[in-house]
Amino acid sequence: MNDVVRTVSVLLGTAALAFVVPGIGVLPAQDVVLDDDLIVVEIPAAAAPRLQDRDRLSTPLDRYVDGARIVRLNRSGTDPAVLTPEFAAACDPDVSFDGTTIVFAGRRLAGDAWQIWTMNADGSGKRQLTDGPGQRIAPVFAGARFYLDDAAPTPQIVFAARTAPDHDSFALYGTDLHGDTVHRLTFNPQSDFSPAVLPNGRVVFSSWQRFDDHLGPDGIFALQAVNLDGTDLMPFHGNHEPPRYRDMAAVDPTGDRVYFVESDRLLWLGGGRLAFVSWRRPLRSYQSFDRKSDDGVFHSPTPLPGGGLVASYRHASPDSVFAIYRLDPASGERAALLFANEDWHLIDAQVLAPRPPTRGRSNWLQPGATTGVLYCLDCYRTSLGEHPARSVAPRGTIKHVRVIEAEPQRIVGIAPVEDDGSFHIRVPAETPLTFQLLDEDYVAVRTQRAWTWVMGNENRGCIGCHEDRELSPPNRLVTAITKPAVNLAQPPNRRRTVDFRNQIAPIVAARCATAGCHIAGGVAPILGVIDGTTPDLRSAYTALLEPAGDGPYVVPGQARSSPLIRLLLGRDSTARADAASAHAHLDRRDVLRFIEWADLGAVWESGSHAEGSTP
């Protein structure tokens, strides 16, 4: 049996012959002639794990297995050519704009780390671009990066790599075509991967967003976009709504569409239903190819130069493999089977042909700069609507913004919000940050459920919080911009962690576990003691977070909804007397520590979440 079985167009009048393809079944043959060869990744079907968890959600590194290889499938129907026979594994091919060079991820020996390589279209001239520990995968040819005084622009390759050899998280990096200079583009504390390049030079990619459990314990994979120099990070599609998994973005080089795969689950090789957006209006143009005929999944869509579309597809049966089909771009229906093999999954098809180059990016960042500026024109401005449950907050409510660092989670600083809703802050560069809008008591009214960052010397702003990014802001000068940026770029040793063990426990021991307060004979919650006198702070932590009566005393991440915080601030009419008497000995600083602790997740110790970390 040949390595690849190719169906051939045979039409007799109005009747089409049917072909039986091993592992696929019977499908009608159509006019399947291609104008160009395809570069395809073959994954051995035998490499599939014995057990596949249908609900698991993790980075797609599982598909990088030994035995994977890159193959050139000829449009003429002749035998395929394996381009990487000397590699233990190779995948993620991308074709250069002139159609002559392929960049890919590979490892020569089974024990090697994945590195970025290039080769000629016929498999000759292989050259390794990156080296060192860790894993480097998913390279794509991008536009040129340049300073205005450069002699010439420098074409770039963007790829994903582990942020450190011992880390599980991936980030995007850029390098020149020789691998001489590598610069990091993204700083998401989870993972960024699967880049694709838009015609305007921006990079769209899959981003693992896992801020807390509001979208499930594993979060979601959303599509984000960033400039070639790492500036102007913005959501592209699907960062706050299901389904949970979006990946494999593919850009039509001559049209307007960005295709991708979406699903509520992520199996070994990935896959799901096909969808697309306009890259010019990604937030308003979503369409899904809704198929109800079977439970199969698509993989790695690829637009054709003439406006067509190919993608891999596998049926729902456990022993089926991915085969390559030509699709109808209007309906997403499979028009014809192109290539299939019962022993191999065929994925990541790339057209071996020239395509229009993407735009480059002039670079104005300052090497070595350690800070950048963020500003907001009006934090009340939103596209969520006027309903109180969806609006940011009534005007006049927000007084401060709290900036939080991801790793370790700690407070970078707090800055004022002007009466018109604007703020203007200087923050550490290349550091994942999120924001909380605070009321007059420094209680979070809204929390940003994602991480962002600025590059060194970047000045980046937003119109509002969840604003409509397809509308221009009102033409007015906001108050915060007329003032110097509030400097929150403190060195790491001046950024504050707030956890129970180190900040809250001393307050509890000194002010709460006292006679007439929260020990035996006092008021609930009753704090246990050790050896008759020492407060049992571990049980105190558990008592605050475990439901008792109407619910827990502290709701992690929501000081505003926590009965304890409402009591301390006297916000409940029935609790005002208690707050004025029983807690009068807690000073303002103590109360603020409780508020910050609750708003930051009510963790036992910095770096661990309340769930699953009860002492």
Side-chain angles (χ1 to χ4, degrees), residues 194-461:
S194 297
V197 182
L198 301 174
N200 63 1
R202 282 174 64 77
V203 179
V204 61
F205 58 95
S206 294
S207 181
W208 190 4
Q209 303 287 306
R210 190 177 64 178
F211 182 82
D212 58 15
D213 62 354
H214 76 295
L215 290 169
D218 289 323
I220 63 173
F221 290 113
L223 297 180
Q224 301 274 90
V226 71
N227 286 335
L228 191 56
D229 57 2
T231 61
D232 198 25
L233 172 77
M234 292 292 287
F236 188 78
H237 174 73
N239 65 321
H240 287 291
E241 64 275 350
R244 299 166 63 197
Y245 165 67
R246 295 172 182 84
D247 192 15
M248 308 177 196
V251 181
D252 187 343
T254 58
D256 187 50
R257 291 182 177 182
V258 176
Y259 294 95
F260 56 92
V261 170
E262 61 180 15
S263 176
D264 285 316
R265 56 192 173 97
L266 176 58
L267 298 179
W268 169 45
L269 290 177
R273 62 182 175 271
L274 285 182
F276 66 88
V277 294
S278 163
W279 66 264
R280 293 180 175 89
R281 301 191 65 197
L283 303 176
R284 296 288 186 273
S285 58
Y286 167 79
Q287 294 187 53
S288 174
F289 292 132
D290 189 12
R291 298 165 38 260
K292 300 181 175 63
S293 58
D294 59 65
D295 193 33
V297 294
F298 287 96
H299 193 289
S300 49
T302 299
L304 297 175
L309 179 66
V310 299
S312 298
Y313 175 83
R314 66 179 292 183
H315 290 268
S317 58
D319 58 347
S320 67
V321 296
F322 278 109
I324 299 175
Y325 290 80
R326 188 162 190 163
L327 308 182
D328 178 359
S331 66
E333 293 296 324
R334 286 169 288 145
L337 173 63
L338 299 182
F339 301 97
N341 188 317
E342 63 181 354
D343 298 321
W344 298 86
H345 294 281
L346 307 183
I347 61 173
D348 292 339
Q350 304 293 320
V351 180
L352 188 59
R355 56 194 169 103
T358 63
R359 295 179 182 176
R361 176 76 184 180
S362 62
N363 186 15
W364 43 265
L365 300 179
Q366 292 180 353
T370 59
T371 67
V373 169
L374 284 167
Y375 61 87
C376 177
L377 301 182
D378 183 359
C379 64
Y380 298 103
R381 191 167 183 83
T382 178
S383 63
L384 296 178
E386 298 300 326
H387 190 280
R390 294 179 61 81
S391 64
V392 174
R395 285 201 172 268
T397 304
I398 299 169
K399 302 297 183 181
H400 319 275
V401 58
R402 180 189 292 143
V403 182
I404 302 167
E405 179 184 9
E407 295 181 333
Q409 190 177 89
R410 52 191 176 186
I411 297 173
V412 174
I414 298 174
V417 173
E418 304 292 343
D419 292 340
D420 61 1
S422 62
F423 62 83
H424 188 198
I425 54 178
R426 180 172 293 278
V427 295
E430 301 183 357
T431 301
L433 305 170
T434 196
F435 308 96
Q436 292 180 326
L437 301 176
L438 313 179
D439 64 16
E440 60 185 357
D441 291 318
Y442 293 87
V443 176
V445 177
R446 279 280 184 171
T447 297
Q448 177 174 300
R449 304 292 182 179
W451 300 102
T452 190
W453 56 86
V454 294
M455 304 299 284
N457 197 45
E458 180 181 4
N459 284 264
R460 180 152 58 92

Side-chain angles (χ1 to χ4, degrees), residues 402 438-445 558-584 586-596 598-599:
R402 180 189 292 143
L438 313 179
D439 64 16
E440 60 185 357
D441 291 318
Y442 293 87
V443 176
V445 177
Q558 301 180 45
R560 194 177 189 82
S561 303
S562 299
L564 173 62
I565 304 303
R566 300 185 66 85
L567 178 68
L568 294 178
L569 294 174
R571 292 191 172 186
D572 290 329
S573 58
T574 57
R576 285 174 184 162
D578 291 337
S581 57
H583 299 94
L586 287 179
D587 60 30
R588 178 63 173 166
R589 183 179 295 272
D590 294 336
V591 174
L592 285 176
R593 289 294 175 268
F594 272 98
I595 292 171
E596 291 175 340
D599 271 339

Side-chain angles (χ1 to χ4, degrees), residues 543 545-553:
L545 295 181
E546 288 186 347
D550 295 334
Y553 290 97

Side-chain angles (χ1 to χ4, degrees), residues 82-89 104 107-109 119 123-124 126:
V82 179
L83 301 184
T84 56
E86 70 273 44
F87 279 68
F104 66 100
R107 53 181 177 184
R108 294 290 295 267
L109 302 176
M119 62 180 170
S124 65
K126 293 184 178 69

Side-chain angles (χ1 to χ4, degrees), residues 51-71:
L51 297 177
Q52 297 187 37
D53 185 350
R54 293 177 62 88
D55 297 321
R56 184 176 57 85
L57 193 67
S58 62
T59 52
L61 193 61
D62 295 351
R63 73 181 68 148
Y64 293 84
V65 298
D66 285 342
R69 63 188 188 181
I70 299 173
V71 173

